[in-house]
Amino acid sequence: SHVSRMNKRKHQAAVTMAMFTALFLACNLPVLLNYIMWFLNKLLYGPMYGTMYGPLYNHPFLAYYSWLLCDIVCTVLNAVFNPILYFSRMKSLRIWVRTRGAARSSPNKRPTLSTNVRSELSPS
């Protein structure tokens, strides 16, 4: 029935949003933890050591590479996994990519990305 199809779509949308949120948190949690560690380290140990960093960030790995890994690598990983997640969750996008490759052989047929709800709900 129409109601069960709408509930199924709402459930799928909620699952997709939860997946994107989990991906975002997984990729950005190391960044947040690194900032918290840096702040607490500076607040607690900075005045004692007379430096800006304190004992934890005096080690070259944590002072330089932790920022590189967190701020750059984690952000890039999020940017890499987002399109993969979109592709795996959106049937219309998969169909559009598949038909786009087939349309290259016939120049008269131009594929478009459909947002038609009925085409996604029809059995394949």
Side-chain angles (χ1 to χ4, degrees):
S1 79
H2 177 69
V3 174
S4 66
R5 278 192 267 161
M6 288 303 291
N7 284 338
K8 181 181 177 185
R9 286 195 48 81
K10 286 180 182 180
H11 177 74
Q12 286 176 342
V15 168
T16 301
M17 288 177 64
M19 292 173 79
F20 275 102
T21 303
L23 177 65
F24 176 82
L25 289 175
C27 289
N28 287 298
L29 191 60
V31 178
L32 177 66
L33 292 177
N34 197 26
Y35 275 108
I36 290 172
M37 261 181 23
W38 178 81
F39 176 74
L40 291 176
N41 190 47
K42 182 181 173 188
L43 183 70
L44 298 175
Y45 299 112
M48 282 194 269
Y49 285 86
T51 65
M52 182 177 156
Y53 299 111
L56 191 57
Y57 282 92
N58 279 338
H59 193 275
F61 177 79
L62 281 174
Y64 299 106
Y65 297 116
S66 66
W67 298 106
L68 173 75
L69 288 173
C70 287
D71 286 347
I72 296 175
V73 173
C74 290
T75 305
V76 169
L77 280 177
N78 191 15
V80 165
F81 287 129
N82 272 335
I84 294 170
L85 193 55
Y86 273 116
F87 191 76
S88 68
R89 297 294 298 172
M90 293 179 64
K91 184 177 180 180
S92 62
L93 183 62
R94 289 192 305 268
I95 292 169
W96 181 75
V97 168
R98 211 175 304 135
T99 58
R100 184 177 161 96
R104 289 184 185 195
S105 60
S106 61
N108 295 336
K109 194 175 186 182
R110 298 264 184 220
T112 58
L113 183 57
S114 172
T115 56
N116 187 354
V117 174
R118 291 182 185 160
S119 67
E120 284 193 29
L121 294 177
S122 64
S124 303

